[in-house]
Amino acid sequence: MGKADFLSPKAISNRIKAKGLHKLRWYCQMCQKQCRDENGFKCHCVSESHQRQLLLASENPTKFMDYFSDELKSDFLELLRRLFGTKRVHNNIVYNEYISHREHIHMNSTQWETLTDFTKWLGREGFCKVDETPKGWYIQYIDRDPETIRRQEEQARKKKQELDDEERSARMIEEQVRKGREGKGTDETPLLVSEWEGFEAQREELVIWLADMDVRLTS
Ligand SMILES: [Zn+2]
């Protein structure tokens, strides 16, 4: 199965079904407890443990919300990193993948109202690059792993070194061309001198020959 097939809505919904996530409606987010069915859920809701959690939550709702928000953020980012690396992807694809996990945090128990709110927040906080398109929001994981940063710096350093080397050899070639031009000028001078010397020698020969002729003609 190709990646496109793997991420198609049908494939995702099949995986959700396969994992029995229809049971999620009987999941108590606050206690993070999955109940078997409606009856089980009702029983859980009147249980002492649930009531205790409820009391704690009502006394300190922000603490619970912070906890769930933080969980959602870490799990979502981990999933994004694992599945897509730093590739740009539609937020819904990642979210569908995320909610296909049985133990996922429900958006309504977090500080965010919607997936869009959450996406914008990820962008604002610098966890992801986000951008809005007519088709919705896209996200891109920003890798802050020290090893990755080290590798990126190493690549940047190599790239700079290459550019420096290129610049240096370009300068050397330029220098050679310049020297070559000057050198050619000085090379040309002896050539001219030798030509001139040759010409001078010929002229002398001619003078001698003419003088000789003159002597013979006048004698
Ligand atoms: Zn509960």
Side-chain angles (χ1 to χ4, degrees):
M1 193 187 266
K3 193 150 198 166
D5 294 329
F6 180 77
L7 293 171
S8 73
K10 191 166 163 40
I12 289 169
S13 94
N14 282 344
R15 278 201 301 284
I16 291 171
K17 276 181 204 148
K19 284 176 185 166
L21 283 165
H22 50 280
K23 281 186 191 163
L24 258 176
R25 45 203 290 232
W26 310 123
Y27 183 73
C28 176
Q29 182 72 80
M30 195 176 62
C31 306
Q32 290 170 279
K33 185 174 169 58
Q34 177 66 59
C35 303
R36 233 175 244 283
D37 50 23
E38 188 179 4
N39 194 44
F41 189 71
K42 276 181 186 164
C43 287
H44 168 73
C45 287
V46 295
S47 71
E48 205 185 313
S49 67
H50 178 84
Q51 291 297 319
R52 210 170 35 234
Q53 279 294 83
L54 195 62
L55 197 66
L56 279 172
S58 60
E59 277 169 0
N60 201 344
T62 51
K63 191 188 140 215
F64 270 78
M65 194 177 265
D66 286 353
Y67 170 75
F68 290 131
S69 303
D70 201 55
E71 286 284 292
L72 172 65
K73 182 209 80 185
S74 338
D75 294 350
F76 187 89
L77 285 174
E78 172 58 19
L79 192 68
L80 174 63
R81 187 190 64 78
R82 223 177 48 226
L83 288 182
F84 301 99
T86 52
K87 224 184 97 199
R88 183 174 167 270
V89 62
H90 199 287
N91 63 353
N92 243 324
I93 290 175
V94 189
Y95 188 67
N96 283 332
E97 200 49 47
Y98 172 70
I99 60 172
S100 74
H101 291 92
R102 206 184 169 107
E103 301 276 296
H104 80 267
I105 305 290
H106 291 229
M107 200 59 89
N108 59 13
S109 36
T110 68
Q111 67 189 82
W112 306 286
E113 296 270 319
T114 61
L115 176 60
T116 302
D117 287 341
F118 177 52
T119 305
K120 286 186 197 167
W121 181 87
L122 286 174
R124 260 199 324 273
E125 295 294 313
F127 290 108
C128 296
K129 277 188 212 161
V130 303
D131 65 290
E132 193 181 16
T133 73
K135 285 179 182 171
W137 285 84
Y138 279 78
I139 54 174
Q140 202 176 350
Y141 182 70
I142 299 172
D143 200 336
R144 300 196 186 284
D145 176 50
E147 178 57 23
T148 308
I149 290 169
R150 198 196 57 74
R151 231 181 302 126
Q152 281 169 345
E153 280 171 355
E154 177 72 9
Q155 274 169 356
R157 202 185 56 74
K158 269 193 192 146
K159 184 85 196 153
K160 193 181 174 299
Q161 181 70 47
E162 275 167 26
L163 282 174
D164 286 354
D165 287 351
E166 264 172 40
E167 202 188 301
R168 200 174 304 124
S169 53
R171 263 208 312 273
M172 265 170 69
I173 289 168
E174 218 171 80
E175 181 78 355
Q176 277 166 1
V177 168
R178 194 178 59 79
K179 270 189 187 153
R181 282 210 194 97
E182 284 171 1
K184 206 177 166 202
T186 49
D187 281 339
E188 264 165 14
T189 319
L191 233 159
L192 282 169
V193 167
S194 71
E195 267 175 358
W196 181 80
E197 275 169 355
F199 175 73
E200 191 70 354
Q202 275 177 9
R203 196 179 65 90
E204 268 169 35
E205 254 176 67
L206 191 69
V207 168
I208 292 163
W209 184 77
L210 281 173
D212 194 33
M213 281 281 278
D214 193 41
V215 170
R216 273 192 277 157
L217 284 171
T218 53
S219 60

